Amino acid sequence: MDLEFLQSMDIQILVGVAVAALAIVVGAVYLFASMKSKGCLDPENFKEFKLVKRQQLSHNVAKFTFELPTPTSVLGLPIGQHISCRGKDSQGEEVIKPYTPTTLDSDVGYFELVIKMYPQGRMSHHFRELRVGDYLAVKGPRGRFRYQPGEVRAFGMIAGGSGITPMFQVARAILENPKDTTNVHLIYANVTYEDILLKEELDSLAAKYPGRFKVYYVLNQPPEVWDGGVGFVSKEMIQTHCPAPAPDIRVLRCGPPPMNKAMTGHLDALGYSPDMQFQF
């Protein structure tokens, strides 16, 4: 009788172990599947996303909001990376250009692009013609930038024009992460006051995180009343508004090619090593 009882117990234990093992396997498969399916982007193939809102911010700048497949879907774009957008220019020729969304994966169900449309820009033509209900072909993620929270003590950022979008994305991700203590110092250059993109959002970050985020605006043609920088970004401005060269800081730059070249010269002259610099 005792032997039968022990045999019964052994069988129950084996069954329990088998059920537990099966649950672990099923859980792992589900976790892997969910991780694999996270994000709507495809790095190899273009996928189309519907434009659900278009907000004109100025005469040549608009914010485009695109719908993701479900209200809980995320784009799946790593911090500091960008997407490739495909469209047609005024001649009907295909054109592909990189853009950085201003949204993060914490913004579920949609993603946004703030686009400055230039008169002769080939992809600018496509965005000018884009209307609510139309679809945009997108592929990604793309980019060499990799960021892990806390990898540096502080970022210096030097942006010009539409080069602000990757900076804004990185700054938002850092500041909105309660576990990330990285400081951000941004120099943002434009021609006129009207050219400043995302100013309201940048000023909001500066007000919300006063000890961790600083922004210094530079204008080539400032208004009569102006307390920011004037002209082009200089070595002196970088010295004043960016963290000093150190192993635990990094300076990011993104702007028109002539500006990027000039900033490289300034940073080299100020003692920032190649490892301390990154160009989007």
Side-chain angles (χ1 to χ4, degrees), residues 4 7 15 113 148 152 165-166 170 209 234 261 269:
E4 288 179 1
Q7 287 176 335
V15 170
L113 296 173
Q148 293 297 324
V152 294
T165 53
V170 172
Y209 307 97
S234 64
K261 184 177 180 181

Side-chain angles (χ1 to χ4, degrees), residues 39-248:
C40 300
L41 290 171
D42 187 327
E44 304 300 329
N45 304 294
F46 281 98
K47 296 176 69 175
E48 295 201 333
F49 298 94
K50 185 179 180 180
L51 179 66
V52 292
K53 184 179 179 182
R54 173 181 173 140
Q55 181 184 359
Q56 203 69 27
L57 303 180
S58 72
H59 72 284
N60 65 349
V61 178
K63 180 191 290 184
F64 297 83
T65 303
F66 296 92
E67 185 180 62
L68 295 177
T70 74
T72 58
S73 295
V74 297
L75 190 60
L77 188 68
I79 299 171
Q81 301 220 335
H82 59 266
I83 56 178
S84 295
C85 299
R86 184 178 65 190
K88 290 187 176 181
D89 64 14
S90 58
Q91 305 301 312
E93 297 289 327
E94 183 178 284
V95 56
I96 298 172
K97 189 175 178 181
Y99 290 97
T100 304
T102 54
T103 42
L104 304 174
D105 279 355
S106 55
D107 304 304
V108 298
Y110 70 99
F111 71 94
E112 291 180 343
L113 296 173
V114 174
I115 306 293
K116 187 169 186 176
M117 291 160 280
Y118 298 91
Q120 305 303 319
R122 296 180 64 204
M123 194 67 188
S124 292
H125 171 80
H126 184 82
F127 278 104
R128 266 196 302 271
E129 298 296 311
L130 211 56
R131 298 292 179 266
V132 170
D134 292 343
Y135 286 81
L136 178 70
V138 169
K139 181 166 69 174
R142 292 282 188 271
R144 298 174 293 112
F145 188 80
R146 298 286 189 276
Y147 178 66
Q148 293 297 324
E151 70 179 41
V152 294
R153 171 173 49 87
F155 276 115
M157 297 181 172
I158 307 173
S162 56
I164 189 61
T165 53
M167 306 298 189
F168 179 72
Q169 184 209 54
V170 172
R172 254 199 77 192
I174 290 170
L175 297 169
E176 293 179 8
N177 181 356
K179 297 180 180 179
D180 198 333
T181 60
T182 308
N183 292 327
V184 181
H185 306 258
L186 169 66
I187 299 174
Y188 183 25
N190 284 281
V191 177
T192 69
Y193 185 88
E194 290 70 27
D195 291 323
I196 302 175
L197 302 180
L198 300 168
K199 189 174 188 303
E200 185 178 331
E201 290 86 347
L202 292 168
D203 290 345
S204 176
L205 288 179
K208 191 173 182 180
Y209 307 97
R212 297 184 53 214
F213 181 69
K214 307 289 185 184
V215 56
Y216 182 68
Y217 299 104
V218 180
L219 295 179
N220 201 244
Q221 299 171 16
E224 287 187 19
V225 179
W226 177 246
D227 60 358
V230 177
F232 297 107
V233 177
S234 64
K235 283 193 292 185
E236 291 72 24
M237 291 178 188
I238 295 172
Q239 278 183 308
T240 303
H241 299 283
C242 280
D248 58 352

